[in-house]
Amino acid sequence: MTTRVAIAGSTGSIGTQTIEVIEAENKREPGSYEVTALSAGSSVDTVVEQVRSLRPEIVAMADEAARIDLQRRCPDVEVVADSADLVEVADVVVNGVVGFAGLTVTIETLRAGKRLALANKESLIAAGPVVQPLRDTPGAELVPVDSEHCALHQCLRSSYAPDREVDRLLLTASGGPFRGKTADELADVTVESALAHPTWAMGPKITVDSSTLMNKGLEVIEAHELYGTPYDRIDVVVHPQSVVHSMVEFSDGSTIAQLSMPTMHLPIGYALGYPDRIATPFGSIDWTTLSRLDFEPPDRATFRCLDLAYQAGRVGGTAPAWLSAANEVAVEGFLSGNVAWNAIADVCVDVLERHDGVTPTSVDDVIEADQVARRIAEEIIEQR
């Protein structure tokens, strides 16, 4: 049976790697997967190539000019503005959209009772109280694509009664490009150095988040939302080789870990094939060459964003949405040269100090929280 796949954010890192996984699987077993829908922002040239290669039924383009251009160049495909339209023609929706913009795809996929392969952590973090009830929709499945949460998902499958038996979730962090550096040494960080990740090839926003450990902090919030584990039982450990992707410690002292060489193809394939495993062996380890696995605690004084995420998660309500929005604005400012790297955390601190304590009950509440936090973050950056 052919699995129909929609790829939201098809021109980004997750989107292009999803296509590579599908092509590899179809090479092994022709017709296993069919890409029926794509969405992108404005990268029309790349989308044109994807349309001609994959022949989807529908493509959503956020940018109006790109939408018109795509329809002119690919008259046989239906071109729309709303990425939520992708859900109707898919069995699995891969949400690889970066940032808060991925919320609509998350909500509409779960609401339609489809499987959501979620790489967009911000939509779950910002809208957790709104998204959680939708996970109970008949047929809805949420399978995480983040390497760490995919690892936790696999480890938890080994437990007979996970709620009772799980003692701790341990998220691993590579430490990013600045592991071991002091705050003083990071006073004049360049964009180029922040984007030089030692083990992962990711988009610029996520790569900067990895350099500040905000990425790991947001993953802590996401782990709480995905698995319901209290924050006091979610820990972070730095593991520079990025081979152990996360671990679960059980009540009897046993720890189960998921290991593979660092590649996003594996968690993407896991989400596409779930509950089965795909046949292409992405991330296989050559145990004759893997000489060591190192672990160390994170430097929370230098990388302050990690504890900011714990703080926002414990406050709950719209606090995670405020943090996510403030961080997006601050990272955009850093990438454009308007914010120093070590000021990203400062902006987030200042925004959280003005949090209004609202608990969201609707998507509109989440959108309003995001907009308010962005406006405050922009004001703070202007004042700086």
Side-chain angles (χ1 to χ4, degrees):
M1 185 176 72
T2 299
T3 300
R4 301 174 302 160
V5 181
I7 306 173
S10 67
T11 62
S13 175
I14 293 297
T16 55
Q17 290 179 89
T18 299
I19 293 170
E20 291 168 1
V21 172
I22 288 172
E23 288 174 341
E25 281 295 283
N26 282 343
K27 198 170 186 179
R28 281 178 170 267
E29 188 175 342
S32 298
Y33 295 94
E34 178 188 2
V35 177
T36 53
L38 303 170
S39 83
S42 59
S43 303
V44 66
D45 291 338
T46 303
V47 174
V48 167
E49 293 178 8
Q50 291 176 343
V51 168
R52 290 172 178 170
S53 171
L54 301 168
R55 300 190 178 281
E57 298 176 27
I58 185 171
V59 178
M61 295 291 291
D63 182 80
E64 183 179 6
R67 197 159 56 243
I68 295 170
D69 189 19
L70 177 63
Q71 189 69 85
R72 178 183 61 80
R73 295 164 67 179
C74 300
D76 295 333
V77 69
E78 181 182 358
V79 180
V80 298
D82 191 351
S83 58
D85 291 345
L86 276 60
V87 176
E88 297 180 10
V89 297
D91 304 311
V92 181
V93 178
V94 178
N95 188 353
V97 177
V98 176
F100 185 76
L103 175 60
T104 301
V105 175
T106 292
I107 287 176
E108 293 306 320
T109 302
L110 294 174
R111 184 175 284 158
K114 303 290 183 73
R115 188 192 316 157
L116 173 66
L118 183 64
N120 173 263
K121 62 172 58 67
E122 288 87 355
S123 63
L124 184 60
I125 290 161
V130 176
V131 171
Q132 289 294 6
L134 298 175
R135 296 176 66 182
D136 294 328
T137 304
E141 291 181 310
L142 197 166
V143 183
V145 168
D146 272 343
S147 63
E148 294 81 4
H149 296 108
C150 176
L152 292 175
H153 198 277
Q154 294 180 67
C155 293
L156 290 168
R157 288 178 75 177
S158 68
S159 177
Y160 175 72
D163 291 342
R164 187 177 72 242
E165 297 179 353
V166 171
D167 192 54
R168 278 196 305 165
L169 305 183
L170 295 121
L171 291 161
T172 56
S174 70
F178 305 136
R179 180 177 65 88
K181 301 286 188 182
T182 66
D184 289 342
E185 291 174 317
L186 297 173
D188 298 308
V189 165
T190 65
V191 171
E192 182 181 14
S193 62
L195 294 179
H197 198 283
T199 53
W200 292 102
M202 305 175 290
K205 193 268 181 185
I206 297 175
T207 305
V208 173
D209 282 351
S210 180
S211 76
T212 64
L213 287 195
M214 178 61 86
N215 194 48
K216 204 54 48 181
L218 295 178
E219 286 174 5
V220 168
I221 299 174
E222 190 177 10
H224 170 77
E225 293 292 340
L226 284 168
Y227 305 116
T229 307
Y231 285 102
D232 291 343
R233 289 164 50 198
I234 304 174
D235 290 337
V236 172
V237 60
V238 174
H239 167 55
Q241 290 89 0
S242 298
V243 172
V244 177
H245 297 290
S246 277
M247 301 171 276
V248 176
E249 183 180 301
F250 293 92
S251 56
D252 62 355
S254 297
T255 297
I256 294 179
Q258 187 267 322
L259 287 74
S260 64
M261 298 308 292
T263 172
M264 286 307 298
H265 294 89
L266 192 152
I268 291 168
Y270 178 82
L272 288 175
Y274 184 79
D276 300 321
R277 291 184 183 271
I278 63 172
T280 307
F282 294 111
S284 295
I285 297 172
D286 181 352
W287 293 99
T288 66
T289 61
L290 187 65
S291 59
R292 59 186 293 173
L293 297 172
D294 298 310
F295 301 92
E296 61 189 55
D299 179 355
R300 301 177 116 92
T302 300
F303 301 96
R304 295 172 293 145
C305 289
L306 178 58
D307 281 342
L308 282 176
Y310 274 95
Q311 174 190 332
R314 289 185 171 111
V315 170
T318 55
W322 276 53
L323 176 64
S324 177
N327 179 64
E328 278 195 41
V329 172
V331 170
E332 288 168 6
F334 169 69
L335 290 171
S336 62
N338 296 321
V339 175
W341 180 88
N342 58 8
I344 293 173
D346 294 331
V347 171
C348 293
V349 168
D350 291 347
V351 171
L352 283 179
E353 286 180 348
R354 294 167 64 176
H355 179 239
D356 56 15
V358 169
T359 297
T361 59
S362 67
V363 174
D364 288 341
D365 290 342
V366 176
I367 293 172
E368 173 67 17
D370 178 80
Q371 292 174 342
V372 170
R374 285 175 189 276
R375 185 166 60 249
I376 292 172
E378 288 165 357
E379 291 172 359
I380 289 169
I381 290 171
E382 285 182 13
Q383 291 169 3
R384 284 176 172 270

